[in-house]
Amino acid sequence: MMPEGKHRNGQKASTPRIIGIIIFRILAVGAWLFALLFIIAGFQVNLLGVIFGVIVAAVLAFVGLVLWVIGDMVKDPGKIRAERLAAQAAKDPGIVIDTDNEHERQRASNGRWDGRANPGHAQPNDEASPALVGVEVEDGEALASARRETGQSSALSRTISPSPIIIPPKTLSVSATRETETVSGSYPATIYVYDPRPILKLKEGRAEKISVVTRPITLKSRLNGRQWRSGVDDGYAVEYKGKPFGVLFNHIAVIHIRAILESGAKNVELVAMRQGWYQTGVPEIYVMVPTLEEAKESETGNASLKEYEQRQAYGADVVAATAIFRVSENNWNGPRIPDEGFIAFEATVEQLPVPEGSQAKPHFALKSGGVLLSEITARSTAAYFASEPLVGKRLKILVSRYYTSLTIEAYEI
């Protein structure tokens, strides 16, 4: 029996279509005849007539070609669409040409596929459909509905991509970055007083807290009229009870204060003391700032405190890690790890099968939420031997950056 698609292609065109074909064919032939007449007439006049005749003939020939193509479209619209798809497929190999008509596609999509060849679509298979195994269905519409729901659920599952399981930090018991940091040290540095009025009531020999000014300001000296502008001149302006009065120029202290502000502190305080008068009406103010060694020790201590508090947030402050190893940044497929701090994941380590006949050692896969974070081979000796005891265990891993490598700290859950 002839397939239905071929049978329809072999059917005769309807009467209106035949009339349309004849009309467009006659118009096309007429246009070409007129084009020929214009060329002949042009040769019988002069050179200008020849040029004019050729131009008009070319236009008429093109019109005739368009009319002939329209006749083809009237005769067989499907052929024109197929040729257009074929041309697109030749330019783009990713285009799949479906030669079935829309009716066949509709039959396949609504579940009433009748067994005819349909190369452009996957053929439904009742036996291979797990949702319908053991279900006896008599109603064709119910079967179609079941197939549609099965197709939609499988399509939905294909669109959901796995992602790593990131463990959020717990609420910190203490803030990792304190709002206010106090600078202390053993070296007395002079504050250059620009406006003495805010500090005239400071008692001599009594320690007072003054603050570093972080907002843009301009100070003008009451002694010599010189100006100091934040962001332009060296040093940091200082204030007492919210009123700026002078500038700290000590180089080590300035670097230390900048490091504190860059670490996230909102306010920086200094311990100040008044000792006599610089001149009449201008108090002499000193602040205690760190030496180079004291500044380094303080900054190292702050960094250690911040790291401890981060570990505390992930519950890794008192528990020893099961394993610690490093992987290359090029061998990391998870989210980007920040330059400072940690990202925690729930993870597992799996041993990958060795290809048959291979003498190589098996690889280990560090995974989270179905995502391969890193594949560890025997060439990374330390990471390889640290990963082997972790196979099959449920882990919490803390990942931090170490230059161009990443440090993996594994804690068994």
Side-chain angles (χ1 to χ4, degrees):
M1 182 177 177
M2 182 182 293
E4 185 179 348
K6 291 184 179 179
H7 175 71
R8 283 196 299 270
N9 291 337
Q11 288 178 345
K12 293 182 180 180
S14 62
T15 302
R17 185 175 296 177
I18 293 174
I19 295 173
I21 295 169
I22 294 173
I23 292 174
F24 279 105
R25 289 286 190 267
I26 292 173
L27 292 174
V29 173
W32 290 333
L33 289 175
F34 273 107
L36 182 60
L37 291 175
F38 268 97
I39 293 177
I40 295 173
F43 277 102
Q44 294 177 354
V45 184
N46 51 28
L47 180 59
L48 185 61
V50 172
I51 296 174
F52 179 75
V54 170
I55 293 173
V56 175
V59 173
L60 290 172
F62 177 75
V63 172
L65 179 61
V66 171
L67 293 170
W68 191 274
V69 171
I70 294 174
D72 282 341
M73 295 178 65
V74 173
K75 178 182 178 182
D76 190 357
K79 178 182 177 182
I80 301 299
R81 286 196 297 269
E83 290 176 351
R84 187 169 63 251
L85 284 174
Q88 292 176 356
K91 295 179 181 178
D92 185 358
I95 296 177
V96 178
I97 301 176
D98 184 4
T99 57
D100 291 341
N101 58 36
E102 187 62 28
H103 180 66
E104 284 294 321
R105 285 194 293 271
Q106 183 64 29
R107 291 169 65 88
S109 65
N110 64 20
R112 293 191 292 272
W113 184 76
D114 56 8
R116 297 186 178 91
N118 191 7
H121 299 274
Q123 298 180 1
N125 186 344
D126 293 344
E127 296 180 359
S129 178
L132 301 177
V133 173
V135 179
E136 198 173 309
V137 182
E138 297 180 358
D139 188 354
E141 290 300 323
L143 177 63
S145 176
R147 281 177 178 154
R148 280 196 298 271
E149 291 178 3
T150 304
Q152 290 173 357
S153 61
S154 62
L156 181 62
S157 65
R158 286 196 299 271
T159 59
I160 299 176
S161 58
S163 59
I165 303 173
I166 298 178
I167 302 175
K170 297 180 296 184
T171 303
L172 294 174
S173 59
V174 290
S175 173
T177 302
R178 289 187 288 270
E179 283 284 325
T180 302
E181 292 278 358
T182 301
V183 176
S184 61
S186 60
Y187 180 80
T190 302
I191 296 292
Y192 288 80
V193 177
Y194 280 68
D195 183 359
R197 290 175 298 178
I199 53 173
L200 288 176
K201 293 184 179 180
L202 284 180
K203 293 183 179 180
E204 189 166 345
R206 179 178 175 179
E208 296 280 355
K209 290 285 186 70
I210 63 174
S211 302
V212 173
V213 179
T214 55
R215 63 186 182 277
I217 65 166
T218 299
L219 291 174
K220 186 175 182 179
S221 174
R222 286 183 168 262
L223 291 177
N224 53 30
R226 292 180 181 175
Q227 286 189 341
W228 181 93
R229 292 173 296 174
S230 56
V232 176
D233 299 310
D234 294 333
Y236 277 103
V238 291
E239 61 186 2
Y240 179 65
K241 294 184 177 181
K243 297 180 180 180
F245 68 90
V247 178
L248 172 64
F249 288 106
N250 182 272
H251 182 64
I252 295 173
V254 166
I255 295 175
H256 185 57
I257 291 170
R258 185 182 300 119
I260 292 173
L261 292 173
E262 289 176 350
S263 69
K266 301 296 186 297
N267 305 301
V268 178
E269 293 181 339
L270 297 160
V271 180
M273 188 177 296
R274 173 183 167 185
Q275 294 184 352
W277 298 85
Y278 177 75
Q279 68 176 47
T280 304
V282 181
E284 192 163 359
I285 305 294
Y286 294 93
V287 290
M288 304 306 295
V289 298
T291 63
L292 180 60
E293 291 74 16
E294 290 172 337
K296 287 182 178 179
E297 184 178 349
S298 174
E299 290 166 16
T300 302
N302 286 341
S304 299
L305 176 62
K306 188 173 183 179
E307 181 176 332
Y308 171 80
E309 290 171 340
Q310 288 178 336
R311 290 182 180 279
Q312 188 182 46
Y314 287 110
D317 53 327
V318 294
V319 180
T322 307
I324 301 177
F325 55 92
R326 290 196 178 104
V327 298
S328 168
E329 189 174 15
N330 296 329
N331 189 21
W332 177 257
N333 300 316
R336 186 187 183 280
I337 306 302
D339 294 334
E340 295 182 0
F342 304 89
I343 293 184
F345 301 88
E346 186 175 319
T348 57
V349 175
E350 300 177 10
Q351 180 175 313
L352 301 177
V354 180
E356 187 176 353
S358 174
Q359 300 298 320
K361 292 184 177 181
H363 295 187
F364 295 112
L366 180 64
K367 292 185 176 182
S368 176
V371 175
L372 176 65
L373 298 178
S374 182
E375 184 172 338
I376 302 166
T377 67
R379 286 178 294 182
S380 303
T381 307
Y384 189 84
F385 285 106
S387 303
E388 190 170 9
L390 304 177
V391 173
K393 295 181 179 179
R394 187 171 167 230
L395 305 169
K396 173 174 62 180
I397 61 171
L398 265 60
V399 187
S400 58
R401 183 174 295 278
Y402 182 79
Y403 296 98
T404 58
S405 300
L406 299 177
T407 300
I408 311 292
E409 301 177 29
Y411 298 84
E412 190 171 353
I413 299 177

